Amino acid sequence: MSHTITDRRSLLLGADGRPMDVGTTDQQFTVSAAVGSFQATESDGTSGYIFCPTLDSKKEVDAWSRTERTKRSHTLYNSGGGLPRRPIDGTSDMVCGVGMIPHPTPIREKGREQKIREWTHRVRQLYMERCGSKHTYDLSKRRNVFQDQRLAMRLKRLDGDSAKVFARDVTTGRLRTIRYEASQIGNGQFEKDKAWVDGIQCGEHNEMLKMRILRSDDLGRVIGKTDIPAENVLHLMNDERLRQVRGLTCFAPVLKKMFSRGEIQHALTQGIKVASQPAYVIEQDVA
C-alpha cells in the first residue's frame, strides 16, 4: 500500500518522502521573509548579484569605467542623430543663452547715486574689455567668456566634467584662462599614490589639492603630465555622489540601451534594403 499522498498546496517533501503539510502563504517560505518588506531587495533567481561599494561612493566608478563611458558618449553624440544632441546643446542654450554677464551690486548711499552708477559702468566696461574678446580672455585665443560658458555646459553634460585653469600670458603678463576637457585630465595611468583618484589629488577631507593634466603626441599617446594646484583650477562637474571626485556623462544611465536601440534600427534598415533589392535570374533551357 502506497503512503504517497498528493497535496496541491505544497511540493515540499519531508525526510520520509511524504509531502509536507505546509501552506505556500507561510511567512517563513516567502522571499520577503529573508530581505524584509522592500520588494526592490527581493531576488527571484533570475537576477544576478549586484556589487556596489556604498560605504565609499568615491570607489563606485573606477577610472576605466569613466573613460569608457566618455568614449561611448562621444560616439553617441557624434553619430546618434538629433535626439542625443538635445540634452547637450539644448541645455547649454537654455542655461547660457547668448551669455551671462555679472552685475555689480554696490551699496547704495544717498547723495552718491551718480558716482555709484559711473563706478558700475566702469566695472562692466572693464569686464567686457578683458573677457568679451577671445584675444584677452582665452590663452588659446579661440573663444570669449560667452562662448566658453556654453562650451563648459556642453562638456559638463557630455563628458561629466571639465576644468578651467588660470594662467598668465608670457607675452603680456596678464591673467588668461584655458579649458581642458575630461579626456585631458588624469585617467589613473600615472597614479600609484592612493591619494590620487582619477587625476585628482585628494586631501584628508576629500578636497581637491591638485589636478593632473595629461599631454599627448600626434598619435594620442600620453607623453607627459602637469600637476596644477587647486587654487588655480575651476572644476565644473556633474555632482551626483557625496564623495565623488570626477563627474559622469549624463548619458551614463542609458548608454547601453541607446546603443542597442541603434543596432536594432540598423538591422531593420538593412533587412528592408535587402528585401527591396531586385534579383535577376538567367534561365537557360537544357537541351
Side-chain angles (χ1 to χ4, degrees):
M1 181 177 179
S2 175
H3 295 283
T4 303
I5 301 175
T6 302
D7 191 345
R8 297 181 181 277
R9 294 177 302 167
S10 174
L11 296 178
L12 298 177
L13 301 179
D16 57 355
R18 297 181 180 182
M20 297 176 60
D21 188 11
V22 177
T24 56
T25 58
D26 290 354
Q27 292 297 321
Q28 58 179 338
F29 291 100
T30 60
V31 180
S32 298
V35 297
S37 61
F38 292 95
Q39 293 183 349
T41 58
E42 295 180 358
S43 176
D44 57 0
T46 60
S47 57
Y49 174 73
I50 297 176
F51 171 75
C52 182
T54 55
L55 188 62
D56 188 358
S57 57
K58 182 168 59 177
K59 300 178 181 179
E60 188 174 344
V61 181
D62 56 23
W64 180 86
S65 299
R66 188 195 57 78
T67 303
E68 189 66 20
R69 290 177 182 181
T70 302
K71 293 179 181 178
R72 298 188 182 191
S73 66
H74 277 232
T75 303
L76 185 65
Y77 178 79
N78 294 333
S79 305
L83 181 61
R85 286 180 174 266
R86 292 178 187 174
I88 306 299
D89 298 341
T91 303
S92 174
D93 293 339
M94 287 188 293
V95 172
C96 301
V98 297
M100 294 179 288
I101 303 176
H103 289 265
T105 56
I107 300 176
R108 302 297 178 180
E109 296 182 9
K110 188 176 182 179
R112 302 185 67 248
E113 290 82 358
Q114 182 63 27
K115 292 184 177 180
I116 291 176
R117 282 195 295 267
E118 293 176 357
W119 178 86
T120 302
H121 176 73
R122 288 196 300 268
V123 169
R124 294 188 61 181
Q125 186 178 14
L126 179 62
Y127 176 82
M128 291 301 299
E129 290 176 356
R130 297 287 181 88
C131 301
S133 173
K134 61 182 180 180
H135 298 286
T136 56
Y137 175 77
D138 189 13
L139 194 61
S140 62
K141 298 180 180 180
R142 298 184 61 86
R143 58 190 60 88
N144 58 22
V145 65
F146 309 116
Q147 295 169 324
D148 184 66
Q149 290 171 2
R150 291 191 292 270
L151 177 64
M153 185 56 61
R154 284 192 178 96
L155 293 178
K156 177 183 176 182
R157 302 283 292 170
L158 180 61
D159 294 346
D161 60 359
S162 68
K164 178 192 287 186
V165 177
F166 296 96
R168 290 197 177 276
D169 191 341
V170 294
T171 58
T172 62
R174 287 193 171 185
L175 189 65
R176 300 286 185 266
T177 65
I178 186 170
R179 185 169 296 280
Y180 295 98
E181 56 186 351
S183 58
Q184 296 176 282
I185 305 175
N187 53 17
Q189 183 173 354
F190 298 98
E191 299 166 8
K192 297 181 180 180
D193 188 355
K194 293 183 178 180
W196 285 89
V197 180
D198 210 3
I200 305 293
Q201 185 183 25
C202 301
E204 180 182 0
H205 304 288
N206 205 42
E207 72 276 15
M208 183 176 68
L209 301 179
K210 293 181 181 179
M211 175 177 285
R212 179 161 292 172
I213 303 298
L214 304 179
R215 299 192 305 274
S216 60
D217 57 10
D218 295 337
L219 299 178
R221 296 173 299 189
V222 178
I223 59 176
K225 57 185 176 62
T226 302
D227 297 338
I228 302 176
E231 55 266 23
N232 296 329
V233 180
L234 287 179
H235 187 203
L236 180 65
M237 69 176 186
N238 291 328
D239 196 0
E240 299 169 334
R241 297 174 303 279
L242 180 62
R243 287 177 54 80
Q244 74 179 90
V245 296
R246 296 290 303 275
L248 289 176
T249 171
C250 68
F251 293 138
V254 296
L255 273 176
K256 189 174 182 180
K257 296 181 179 63
M258 296 191 74
F259 272 102
S260 297
R261 175 175 173 268
E263 292 172 357
I264 293 173
Q265 289 182 342
H266 177 71
L268 291 175
T269 303
Q270 288 297 106
I272 295 173
K273 288 183 177 180
V274 171
S276 62
Q277 291 179 353
Y280 298 97
V281 180
I282 299 177
E283 296 182 355
Q284 182 179 1
D285 294 334
V286 179

